[in-house]
């Protein structure tokens, strides 16, 4: 019987259906830990018995694949596959699948919540009131302000709709989306540097550069409109976090709300922990019961298809 090794603790947390799909197909689901992601050493030790992997943010490297001689498919429990060496998988004839669109609405809604929280200091007020204070914190209204969306795929387009409902003006940067499509969703196409100069708030929805170079390095952060808000609910590595902390400290950047970081969990000495006007959350934008059920079922179904000798519906090319 084939074995499906599951390394992410959030798989099927809100629905039994993904487990049922695997079990009914005889795909032998195995999850050694339920509370945390599987550490690399344990992942390597269990890999030899895996015919399929269902993973979260785990680094799935060529080393992991070579430790799994029976491996026939790698499934990302989510959308972004930047933690999987897709080229190495293809070189070994191992298909990689994901769950496109399964968490788009969850992430877009959460992103707009981060923007509201950063603009109006909601978490700072909560912290102060819970500690016995009663501050009156001022922040800008979003109506009439310009939101710059970097990456205009499913999530960026949903976010654009929420922002339009608040009366915001929209700029969008995405070199892979035709300008006509950007305009059809109510946004003005813009080069990245022009967007950063004009936007009152910037939201990131793009994968990181494989080289590890931050999309928003110190120079680009410094070029942002004074007082602008930065939101990142996409991936760590997109922002020079030390530079962001410095520019928050100087007041050049008005506020920042981040759900993704270069190192996770966030280290105790991370500079953003002490930076002012920040909202920091634990990479949970996709954590809704609806998204969890959808992504779990999608990847389980594709795993079963591949193990049965079929073609997946959601391959990563």
């Amino acid at each position: 019987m084939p074995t499906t090794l599951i390394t992410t603790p959030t798989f099927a947390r809100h629905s039994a259906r993904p487990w049922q799909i695997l079990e009914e197909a005889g795909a032998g689901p195995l999850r050694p830990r339920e509370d945390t992601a599987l550490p690399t050493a344990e992942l390597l030790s269990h890999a030899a018995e895996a015919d399929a992997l269902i993973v979260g943010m785990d680094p799935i490297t060529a080393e992991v694949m070579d430790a799994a001689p029976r491996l026939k498919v790698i499934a990302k429990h989510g959308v972004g596959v930047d933690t999987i060496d897709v080229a190495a998988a293809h070189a070994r004839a191992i298909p990689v699948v994901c769950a496109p669109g399964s968490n788009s609405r969850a992430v877009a809604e959460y992103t707009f919540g981060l923007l509201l929280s950063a603009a109006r200091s909601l978490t700072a007020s909560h912290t102060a009131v819970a500690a016995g204070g009663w501050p009156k914190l001022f922040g800008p209204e979003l109506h009439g302000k310009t939101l710059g969306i970097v990456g205009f795929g499913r999530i960026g387009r949903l976010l654009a709709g929420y922002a339009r409902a608040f009366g915001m003006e929209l700029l969008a940067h995405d070199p892979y989306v035709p300008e006509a499509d950007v305009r059809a969703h109510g946004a003005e196409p813009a080069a990245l540097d022009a967007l950063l100069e004009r936007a009152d708030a910037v939201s990131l929805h793009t994968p990181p550069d494989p080289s590890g170079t931050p999309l928003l390095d110190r120079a680009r952060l410094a070029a942002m409109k004074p007082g602008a808000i930065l939101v990142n609910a996409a991936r760590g590595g997109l922002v020079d976090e030390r530079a962001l902390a410095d520019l928050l400290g100087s007041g050049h950047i008005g506020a920042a709300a981040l759900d993704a970081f270069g190192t996770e969990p966030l280290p105790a000495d991370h500079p953003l922990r002490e930076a002012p006007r920040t909202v920091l959350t634990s990479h949970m934008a996709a954590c809704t019961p609806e998204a969890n059920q959808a992504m779990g079922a999608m990847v389980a179904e594709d795993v079963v298809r591949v193990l049965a000798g079929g073609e997946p519906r959601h391959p990563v090319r």
Side-chain angles (χ1 to χ4, degrees):
M1 183 176 75
T3 297
T4 302
L5 176 61
I6 298 163
T7 70
T8 173
T10 61
F11 178 77
R13 180 175 289 181
H14 289 278
S15 172
R17 182 57 185 153
W19 290 116
Q20 292 169 353
I21 292 168
L22 295 174
E23 288 165 355
E24 289 169 3
L30 169 65
R31 182 165 65 179
R33 289 192 177 204
E34 295 190 359
D35 55 340
T36 64
L38 201 60
T40 300
E42 290 187 37
L43 172 58
L44 289 169
S45 70
H46 287 289
E49 57 188 311
D51 298 274
L53 284 176
I54 296 178
V55 303
M57 295 302 295
D58 319 69
I60 305 302
T61 62
E63 179 186 14
V64 172
M65 299 173 207
D66 290 340
R70 292 164 40 183
L71 189 60
K72 298 178 180 66
V73 59
I74 301 167
K76 172 60 186 284
H77 186 241
V79 180
V81 294
D82 47 285
T83 56
I84 300 172
D85 190 336
V86 176
H90 289 169
R92 291 160 175 77
I94 302 170
V96 178
V97 303
C98 66
S102 59
N103 62 14
S104 297
R105 190 168 301 279
V107 175
E109 289 182 358
Y110 192 89
T111 299
F112 202 79
L114 288 176
L115 176 58
L116 280 169
S117 183
R120 298 301 302 273
S121 301
L122 301 186
T123 54
S125 178
H126 165 81
T127 301
V129 171
W134 197 254
K136 301 296 184 183
L137 304 177
F138 280 66
E141 297 178 7
L142 297 182
H143 180 86
K145 302 301 190 297
T146 297
L147 173 63
I149 302 173
V150 181
F152 209 60
R154 293 182 181 92
I155 297 170
R157 295 177 190 196
L158 284 168
L159 179 64
Y162 302 150
R164 287 199 311 274
F166 271 67
M168 299 189 78
E169 302 295 326
L170 299 174
L171 299 173
H173 171 73
D174 193 322
Y176 302 103
V177 176
E179 290 192 1
D181 289 354
V182 173
R183 296 186 190 279
H185 286 83
E188 176 188 340
L192 178 58
D193 291 336
L195 179 150
L196 296 175
E197 291 176 2
R198 295 172 55 190
D200 299 293
V202 174
S203 188
L204 305 179
H205 301 281
T206 187
D209 191 295
S211 71
T213 302
L215 178 68
L216 300 190
D217 57 13
R218 184 176 292 270
R220 278 188 165 143
L221 290 168
M224 287 176 64
K225 188 175 182 178
I229 299 168
L230 177 63
V231 180
N232 180 18
R235 282 287 185 268
L238 287 170
V239 180
D240 182 332
E241 293 167 359
R242 167 63 69 181
L244 176 59
D246 291 344
L247 290 164
L248 284 162
S250 73
H252 178 76
I253 291 181
L258 298 99
D259 185 54
F261 305 89
T263 301
E264 297 179 356
L266 204 61
D269 60 350
H270 195 285
L272 284 172
R273 285 182 176 269
E274 302 298 325
R277 303 177 309 283
T278 57
V279 179
L280 309 176
T281 61
S282 53
H283 209 140
M284 53 183 273
C287 293
T288 66
E290 297 87 349
N292 185 257
Q293 178 175 338
M295 70 177 67
M298 288 173 71
V299 297
E301 288 168 354
D302 258 355
V303 162
V304 168
R305 286 188 192 98
V306 174
L307 292 179
E311 292 295 321
R313 288 184 181 171
H314 306 291
V316 176
R317 304 297 183 188

